[in-house]
Amino acid sequence: MSQFASQMPNRQFLWDVFQRVDRDRSGFINADELGSALSNGTWSPFNPETVRLMIGMFDRNNRGQVSFEDFGALWKYVTDWQNCFRSFDRDNSGNIDKEELKTALVSFGYRLSDSLINILLRKFDRHGHGTILFDDFIQCCIVLYTLTSSFRQYDTDQDGYITIHYEQFLTMVFSLKV
């Protein structure tokens, strides 16, 4: 939402934005409406998968849309990610390269090998430029966090190793909202 203010605005401002985004006047914002309102700063559409993940995170009723009450939290979430992204985009290029991604993930507490960083970069680089755009950075971080949280449920002694059988693994993976 780079076209909007980056701090938590007052309720009236949020209501005005909500009404502009709610094009069908349903009183809810769906993924298509939110995707149209978001900007990753490159004139390309915001990643629909990232939009879907964010709607899912703030959709308390599992209807595929957010109400005005949920919109404030979603707004804050996006603007916080925007500030985070800018802080790691050291060269102000509008994207995150491998070293910037590594720095961001280390600051979040992840200790990942260079080969895994390369895999993440390839997975979330939709345009094949060796960099990750704002929307893909959000998706990368959400997926990494979700997978890590799921892993930790089985890593009861916090040693970085788990032993599960195949069906437990499939249950773990298919129950994730990623």
Side-chain angles (χ1 to χ4, degrees):
M1 293 188 184
S2 60
Q3 66 207 26
F4 305 124
S6 64
Q7 50 189 299
M8 191 63 170
N10 68 37
R11 188 170 173 85
Q12 183 59 49
F13 178 82
L14 276 178
W15 178 247
D16 293 343
V17 172
F18 183 86
Q19 287 186 305
R20 284 197 310 265
V21 175
D22 180 20
R23 291 182 316 227
D24 66 1
R25 300 289 179 242
S26 66
F28 295 92
I29 293 175
N30 62 34
D32 290 338
E33 291 169 326
L34 182 61
S36 297
L38 293 170
S39 169
N40 63 22
T42 63
W43 301 105
S44 62
F46 214 79
N47 184 335
E49 186 60 21
T50 305
V51 175
R52 184 192 67 77
L53 283 171
M54 291 189 309
I55 289 284
M57 292 173 70
F58 293 93
D59 174 15
R60 287 188 241 167
N61 299 317
N62 290 322
R63 295 170 40 177
Q65 55 193 8
V66 292
S67 65
F68 175 66
E69 288 72 33
D70 300 329
F71 182 69
L74 175 59
W75 176 277
K76 183 174 182 341
Y77 184 79
V78 172
T79 55
D80 287 349
W81 271 116
Q82 190 175 48
N83 292 331
C84 175
F85 180 85
R86 287 179 180 149
S87 74
F88 292 112
D89 180 15
R90 302 241 189 253
D91 60 0
N92 296 316
S93 62
N95 55 55
I96 298 285
D97 64 22
K98 179 184 174 182
E99 288 307 311
E100 292 166 333
L101 178 61
K102 186 175 183 176
T103 300
L105 295 178
V106 166
S107 78
F108 299 155
Y110 296 103
R111 301 291 182 261
L112 305 174
S113 68
D114 282 347
S115 62
L116 187 54
I117 299 285
N118 287 333
I119 290 170
L120 290 172
L121 194 61
R122 282 193 306 275
K123 169 92 176 144
F124 295 100
D125 173 15
R126 283 186 296 149
H127 302 290
H129 297 136
T131 59
I132 299 176
L133 298 174
F134 171 57
D135 49 348
D136 300 316
F137 177 70
I138 294 172
Q139 184 183 359
C140 175
C141 294
I142 291 171
V143 168
L144 188 58
Y145 174 81
T146 303
L147 291 171
T148 301
S149 295
S150 187
F151 181 90
R152 284 185 177 155
Q153 289 177 356
Y154 292 95
D155 186 14
T156 54
D157 60 358
Q158 301 295 304
D159 68 353
Y161 294 93
I162 62 173
T163 303
I164 58 175
H165 60 76
Y166 183 61
E167 196 163 314
Q168 281 178 301
F169 170 74
L170 290 178
T171 301
M172 179 177 75
V173 171
F174 288 127
S175 64
L176 299 175
K177 281 188 166 185
V178 291

